[in-house]
Amino acid sequence: MLDTISEFFDCTGLFDSHAHYFDRRFDDSADEILQNSVFGKGVSGVINVGTNNTNNLICIEQASNYERMYAAVGIHPEEMMYIDAPDAELKVLYELINSKEKREKNKIVALGEIGLDYHYEGFNKEKQSYCFEKQLEMAEELDMPVIIHDRDAHGDCFETVIKYKNVRGVFHSFSGSPEMAKELVKRGWYISFSGVLTFKNARKAVEAAETVPIDRILIETDSPYLAPHPYRGQLNHSGLMVLTAQRLAEIKNRSYEEIVEITRNNAKALFGIK
């Protein structure tokens, strides 16, 4: 149904700064969606973001098939529930990114998705924090931008990233306060907004978007999650990002065309894409 709907959307110029096209929710439909409803409708770029050492490789493989798709690789905080030997996993990740030549060959433009997640019961704060900081150290050593996952861990995420003064990146699908967004922007960070911005109960996200300077805003899908209103709860993909861009244009009192251009240029600047 969403593919049929998205046929009516002109996605020219939109840049999706955060998606997961390896996710099992796409089943075998990812390539069809990417060809017909994403790049076929004018999406100018997609960052395909890994969450563990297995799907990092799938991200890279998918990115190799599309000129305008790029990869980010990292270990997501939720993965800590399933990892017994964090140092071994971190070593595998480091071997994937430890030279510029490897990163360029595999179209790797960021280290992520990394961060903290205290949402579900059973999380291990110590393991999450250890893995988060080790990956920030990698980013600092290799001069790579990072993609931050922050769920119900705003204070700890903020206090962690500000310790790494030479690391910059984006807080994706931002759910923190406007005050936190201001402080991050002061320190050179970008803030990204997903389809949540269109939800009727998204007061905090809207207030944060009002606060963030236009030259520090990105937009994303977090597909296959967080489909924008009125398709909330359905399979999301980059072809539906039109609705998020339209909502951001309303919030920032800008034209839709301006928002598309500005967020695209911001994403390319952050990820070093020409």
Side-chain angles (χ1 to χ4, degrees), residues 89-103:
E89 294 297 318
L90 290 163
K91 182 178 180 181
V92 171
L93 174 64
Y94 184 75
E95 288 296 321
L96 189 62
I97 60 175
N98 64 1
S99 76
K100 185 177 181 181
E101 291 74 20
K102 289 179 184 179
R103 299 195 298 272

Side-chain angles (χ1 to χ4, degrees), residues 223-236:
S223 63
Y225 311 100
L226 304 180
H229 177 79
Y231 310 115
R232 184 175 181 177
Q234 300 184 51
L235 184 75
N236 193 15

Side-chain angles (χ1 to χ4, degrees), residues 214-260:
I214 198 70
D215 64 345
R216 289 288 159 176
I217 290 183
L218 304 183
I219 54 174
E220 64 172 272
T221 56
D222 199 18
S223 63
Y225 311 100
L226 304 180
H229 177 79
Y231 310 115
R232 184 175 181 177
Q234 300 184 51
L235 184 75
N236 193 15
H237 61 66
S238 309
L240 295 176
M241 200 166 47
V242 169
L243 299 167
T244 304
Q246 288 174 342
R247 180 66 180 120
L248 184 58
E250 293 173 0
I251 293 167
K252 302 303 283 185
N253 194 27
R254 299 271 188 149
S255 71
Y256 169 80
E257 291 76 16
E258 284 181 295
I259 290 297
V260 170

Side-chain angles (χ1 to χ4, degrees), residues 143-161:
D143 193 24
M144 293 179 67
V146 294
I147 298 173
I148 302 295
H149 173 99
D150 168 20
R151 191 175 189 188
D152 295 345
H154 305 315
D156 285 351
C157 256
F158 181 81
E159 293 300 326
T160 301
V161 299

Side-chain angles (χ1 to χ4, degrees), residues 118-134:
Y118 300 164
H119 183 70
Y120 294 108
E121 290 185 9
F123 69 86
N124 186 315
K125 184 180 290 191
E126 290 72 25
K127 282 175 69 178
Q128 285 193 20
S129 178
Y130 178 79
C131 192
F132 187 21
E133 296 215 31
K134 287 296 182 182

